[in-house]
Amino acid sequence: MTNPRTHITLEHVAQAAGVTPMTISRFFRTPQKVSQGTRERISQAIEKLGYVADSTASRLAGKSRPMLAIVAPSLDLPYVPEIIEGVSEAADTVNAALMVFETRFSLEMQEKRIEAAIGWRPDGIIFVGDTVSDRSRRQITASGIPFVEAWAASDTPVGVDIGLSHRAIAAQMTGALIGAGYQTVAFGVRRLGYRVEVERLDGYLDAVSSAGRTPLVVDIADPGEHYKAGAMILRQALDLTSRPDALFLAGDVLAAGAIFECHRLGLAAPLDLAICGFGDSPISASIVPSLTTVRLPTRELGYAAVGHCIAGVPERVGLLAPEPIERESARLAFE
Amino acid sequence: MTNPRTHITLEHVAQAAGVTPMTISRFFRTPQKVSQGTRERISQAIEKLGYVADSTASRLAGKSRPMLAIVAPSLDLPYVPEIIEGVSEAADTVNAALMVFETRFSLEMQEKRIEAAIGWRPDGIIFVGDTVSDRSRRQITASGIPFVEAWAASDTPVGVDIGLSHRAIAAQMTGALIGAGYQTVAFGVRRLGYRVEVERLDGYLDAVSSAGRTPLVVDIADPGEHYKAGAMILRQALDLTSRPDALFLAGDVLAAGAIFECHRLGLAAPLDLAICGFGDSPISASIVPSLTTVRLPTRELGYAAVGHCIAGVPERVGLLAPEPIERESARLAFE
DNA sequence: CTGTTAGCGCTTTCAA
DNA sequence: TTGAAAGCGCTAACAG
C-alpha cells in the first residue's frame, strides 16, 4: 500500500470542495452533470491536493480504466520492444495502461507470468511466447480475458491468433537463396529454447530437403550477447566440412554479428560468403554491407493485437505479410 | 471489466470447496493455518475452476501485491529496455509486476503518464525522463508513492535521485579525447528535446572551452532512425569549415551509424576520423572498428531503483560509476 | 482451524 | 444538480 498518511481519496477532495464523494466521482465521469460552480471548486480542490483517482478502485467498482498486459520472453531481443511499441501506440489511442511480464525463456516462468497477468485483470493479454500450458489455458478461459497470440502462430490457439508462421517464412527465404544460385546454404541459430527458433530451423530444413540439398546447421546454445553469438556462428559455419557459400541466420542481430566477424577475418560478404538475416532490425539497412533479410510486421502485430482486446482502437491498414528484402549481403530469387 | 459470465471469484471457489471465502483467502495467505484436508479440497477447486486471485482487489483490501511503474520516453532507445531489464530482474526477486508508461519525448505526455502511473497505486515509480512539472510534483508528493529518478540526475529531485550527471560524463570523455591528442573534437547530437541530450552537449562545451578550443557542434533534429541519424551527423561533421579529427557522438547507436557511413565513404576510423560513442551498447564491442565509448550502469540503475521502492530486494554490488572504454575507434587519455 | 463483521476507494442505482 | 445506500473482490481483526 501507498503511504497511509499522505493518501488523498475522493473523500478528502469532497470535504475540501464541500460536497459528497459522489459528486467528485461525477466530476470525472460525467462533468456535464455537475454545476459550473461546483465544478470549479472541485477542480481547485483536486489541483491543490494533488489528487489522482485510484484506478484499481475504479476498476473494482465497475468503471474499467483500460489496461493491457503483455507477456514476452525478454526485452533483450530486438523484436520484443518493437512489438511493445506497436502495442503502446495503439494503447495510447484509448489511454490504456500497459503491464509487461517477462518469461525469461522459461516455460515454468511463462506459466507464472500468465497467472500474474490474469491476476491484475487486464482488458487483454498480448502474448509473445511459447506453447501455452494446459493449466494456463484453463486459467485464461476461466478469466474471460481476451488472449492474443501475436508472434508465433499456434496450432491450438487459446484465444485469438494473429501470429506468423516462422517456419513458412524461413522456408521461403531459404528457397529464395537457393533460387538465387547459392549452392550450399547453411543455417545458423542460437537456440534459446523457444519455439520460434525451432520453427525457423524446421522451415530451413523443409526448403533444403525439398530442393534436394543437404542441410548444414550451426546450432549454438550460447546464452551470451547476440552480436558475439553471430560471430561464433560464422566461425563455426566456416569450419563445416563442406564450406557454405551462403549463411542464413535466424535473426538480424546474429547476422550483423556475422558480418562484423567477416570484416575481422578479412572476408567480404557476399563475395566470399553471402549472409541473410531474419527480422529486418534497424541495423540491417545501415550496416555495411547492408543486410538481406525479411521484414516482419512487429509493430503492426502489436498494434493489431490491441484491437482484439479493446474496442475503439482505430484500425490501421498495415501490411501484415512478411516481406523479403534483398540488400547487398545476399541475392534473393523467387520461383 | 473482464467477461462477467465466466468470472471466477473467491466465492465460487469457496462454494466448490464447501468453505467460506475467508478460508480460501487464508489458503493463499497463510496456508499453514488451514487444515490439510481443506487445503486439498481448496487446491483442487482452484485448479478445476482455473481460479486466479484478483490482485487489484487484494491491494484495495490491504494486502499489497507488489507492483512498480516505470515512466520512460520510449522503448525505441537502447538504454530504456536495458534499464527496464534491470528493474525487471530486481522486481522478479520480490515477484513484483511492472507497468510501463511511455512519454514519447513530450513533457505534456510525461505529465499525463506520471498521473496515470500514480492512478494505479504502484509501490514505486521509476522515472527515466525529463524535468518533472510542478503539477506532477504535487501529485507525487500527495500520493506518497516512492519516486526514483534513475537516469538523469536532477538538481531538484522529487524523491530519491540515483541518476547520472550526463554533463560531467560528457565533459570527462571530451577531455579524454583532447588529452589523447585530437586537435579538433566535434560533437554530434540528435536532439529529441530531452534534457539528457542538452546535458551531454553542455558537458562537451564545458570541456572544450576549458581546454581553450573552439566548439564544433552538429546538432540535428531528425526524428528518424538512429543509425541513419548517425550517418547524417557524420556527413555534416565532414562538411564543417574546420574539419574535425575526432567526432564524439551522444549515443552509441549514432556512433555506429557514423562508422557505417565511414565505410561507405571509404574513410577509416580512427585514421581519417576518430569516433567515440556514449553508452556502451552491445553493438560497440562487436562493430568494426570496435567503438570507444563510456559504459553507463543502465541495468544496475534499474536494479538499484527497485530497492528504493520495495523492501526485500537483495542488494547487489554493482559499479554505479560510468566507465570510459577505449577501443579501436578512438584513443582516450586522462590527465 | 474456521467463520463473522467491517471496510479498502470507488461507482452503480435509486431517490431527493 | 446532488446525495444515500449497496456492493465490486478481497483481507484485517476479531470471535468462536
Side-chain angles (χ1 to χ4, degrees):
Chain A
M1 291 275 80
T2 60
N3 191 325
R5 286 154 309 185
T6 34
H7 194 214
I8 314 286
T9 70
L10 266 197
E11 189 77 47
H12 303 185
V13 181
Q15 270 174 359
V19 285
T20 4
M22 195 51 238
T23 308
I24 313 295
S25 175
R26 269 200 203 91
F27 171 85
F28 284 113
R29 201 136 316 305
T30 47
Q32 69 281 11
K33 291 192 177 172
V34 177
S35 75
Q36 178 68 39
T38 321
R39 222 148 54 191
E40 253 151 44
R41 269 179 301 134
I42 293 177
S43 166
Q44 274 164 25
I46 289 171
E47 286 309 316
K48 180 166 148 271
L49 296 175
Y51 173 71
V52 177
D54 186 326
S55 302
T56 62
S58 296
R59 256 184 168 249
L60 233 205
K63 207 244 109 193
S64 164
R65 306 261 173 150
M67 197 263 278
L68 291 167
I70 163 155
V71 178
S74 159
L75 293 183
D76 184 30
L77 293 165
Y79 61 86
V80 173
E82 280 173 30
I83 295 173
I84 299 182
E85 280 290 299
V87 170
S88 162
E89 217 175 291
D92 278 358
T93 67
V94 290
N95 265 295
L98 214 62
M99 296 195 104
V100 175
F101 296 86
E102 293 186 62
T103 71
R104 309 208 174 288
F105 301 98
S106 136
L107 285 177
E108 196 191 332
M109 267 259 195
Q110 176 175 293
E111 197 177 68
K112 287 210 183 108
R113 292 299 173 252
I114 291 177
E115 181 163 356
I118 293 173
W120 289 96
R121 301 290 186 267
D123 294 292
I125 297 177
I126 293 161
F127 182 69
V128 178
D130 211 299
T131 308
V132 179
S133 76
D134 284 340
R135 180 148 186 277
S136 295
R137 302 174 89 90
R138 244 176 294 129
Q139 296 178 329
I140 293 164
T141 309
S143 73
I145 298 171
F147 188 87
V148 185
E149 298 186 50
W151 182 234
S154 169
D155 297 331
T156 52
V158 191
V160 182
D161 181 8
I162 59 172
L164 307 167
S165 167
H166 294 259
R167 180 166 185 166
I169 301 167
Q172 187 194 15
M173 292 300 286
T174 307
L177 289 165
I178 294 173
Y182 296 109
Q183 292 307 307
T184 321
V185 179
F187 184 77
V189 225
R190 176 182 178 225
R191 204 90 79 87
L192 292 167
Y194 244 46
R195 207 181 64 202
V196 282
E197 282 121 16
V198 180
E199 286 184 17
R200 292 177 187 177
L201 170 57
D202 285 343
Y204 162 81
L205 295 174
D206 290 347
V208 164
S209 85
S210 84
R213 309 279 174 87
T214 313
L216 226 54
V217 174
V218 176
D219 180 354
I220 67 171
D222 168 62
E225 196 271 306
H226 295 260
Y227 293 104
K228 298 216 166 109
M232 188 182 299
I233 289 173
L234 179 94
R235 286 193 307 270
Q236 292 194 22
L238 295 176
D239 282 348
L240 291 170
T241 43
S242 56
R243 176 155 166 179
D245 56 352
L247 177 60
F248 179 25
L249 291 118
D252 268 19
V253 184
L254 292 178
I259 288 182
F260 292 147
E261 193 66 9
C262 282
H263 286 318
R264 229 160 242 125
L265 299 175
L267 297 175
L271 289 181
D272 296 308
L273 180 69
I275 293 195
C276 179
F278 201 106
D280 195 32
S281 293
I283 194 176
S284 307
S286 290
I287 196 172
V288 180
S290 60
L291 184 66
T292 293
T293 184
V294 51
R295 195 189 101 83
L296 304 183
T298 46
R299 292 182 103 97
E300 291 93 330
L301 237 28
Y303 191 97
V306 178
H308 291 275
C309 302
I310 300 185
V313 178
E315 290 251 1
R316 251 180 14 183
V317 233
L319 84 164
L320 280 170
E323 185 193 3
I325 300 179
E326 181 176 335
R327 295 208 184 89
E328 297 162 355
S329 72
R331 290 188 318 278
L332 244 34
F334 301 87
E335 310 294 85
Chain B
M1 290 275 78
T2 60
N3 192 326
R5 286 154 307 185
T6 33
H7 194 214
I8 314 286
T9 71
L10 266 197
E11 190 76 48
H12 304 189
V13 181
Q15 271 176 358
V19 287
T20 6
M22 196 54 234
T23 308
I24 312 295
S25 175
R26 269 199 202 92
F27 171 84
F28 285 112
R29 200 137 317 306
T30 48
Q32 68 281 9
K33 291 191 177 172
V34 177
S35 76
Q36 178 68 40
T38 320
R39 223 150 50 193
E40 255 151 42
R41 266 179 301 135
I42 294 178
S43 167
Q44 274 163 23
I46 289 172
E47 287 308 317
K48 179 165 149 270
L49 296 174
Y51 172 71
V52 178
D54 186 326
S55 302
T56 63
S58 295
R59 262 189 160 242
L60 234 204
K63 206 246 110 192
S64 165
R65 307 263 173 145
M67 198 264 279
L68 291 167
I70 161 152
V71 177
S74 160
L75 292 183
D76 183 28
L77 293 165
Y79 61 86
V80 172
E82 280 174 30
I83 295 173
I84 298 182
E85 279 290 299
V87 169
S88 162
E89 217 175 293
D92 277 358
T93 67
V94 290
N95 264 294
L98 215 61
M99 294 193 108
V100 174
F101 296 87
E102 294 186 62
T103 71
R104 310 209 172 287
F105 301 99
S106 137
L107 285 176
E108 196 191 332
M109 266 260 197
Q110 177 174 293
E111 198 177 67
K112 287 210 184 107
R113 292 298 174 254
I114 291 177
E115 181 163 357
I118 293 173
W120 289 96
R121 301 288 186 270
D123 294 294
I125 297 177
I126 293 162
F127 182 69
V128 178
D130 210 301
T131 309
V132 179
S133 76
D134 283 340
R135 179 147 188 280
S136 294
R137 300 175 90 90
R138 245 176 295 129
Q139 296 178 330
I140 293 163
T141 311
S143 74
I145 298 170
F147 187 88
V148 185
E149 298 186 50
W151 183 235
S154 168
D155 298 332
T156 52
V158 191
V160 182
D161 182 7
I162 60 172
L164 307 167
S165 168
H166 293 259
R167 181 168 186 163
I169 300 167
Q172 187 195 14
M173 292 301 286
T174 307
L177 288 165
I178 293 173
Y182 296 109
Q183 293 306 308
T184 320
V185 179
F187 184 77
V189 224
R190 175 182 179 223
R191 203 91 78 88
L192 293 168
Y194 244 44
R195 208 179 66 203
V196 281
E197 282 120 16
V198 180
E199 285 184 18
R200 291 177 187 178
L201 170 56
D202 286 343
Y204 162 80
L205 295 173
D206 290 347
V208 164
S209 85
S210 85
R213 308 280 174 89
T214 313
L216 226 54
V217 175
V218 176
D219 181 354
I220 65 170
D222 169 62
E225 196 271 308
H226 295 260
Y227 292 103
K228 298 217 165 106
M232 189 182 295
I233 289 172
L234 179 94
R235 286 194 306 269
Q236 291 194 22
L238 295 176
D239 282 348
L240 292 170
T241 42
S242 56
R243 176 156 165 179
D245 56 351
L247 176 61
F248 178 26
L249 291 117
D252 267 19
V253 184
L254 292 179
I259 288 182
F260 292 148
E261 192 66 8
C262 283
H263 285 318
R264 231 160 240 125
L265 298 174
L267 296 174
L271 290 180
D272 298 307
L273 178 68
I275 293 195
C276 179
F278 200 106
D280 195 33
S281 294
I283 194 175
S284 306
S286 290
I287 197 172
V288 180
S290 61
L291 184 66
T292 293
T293 185
V294 51
R295 195 188 101 84
L296 304 182
T298 46
R299 290 181 102 97
E300 292 92 329
L301 237 28
Y303 191 97
V306 178
H308 291 274
C309 302
I310 299 184
V313 178
E315 291 249 3
R316 250 181 12 185
V317 233
L319 83 164
L320 280 170
E323 185 193 0
I325 300 178
E326 181 177 333
R327 296 208 183 91
E328 296 162 355
S329 72
R331 290 188 317 277
L332 246 33
F334 300 88
E335 311 293 83

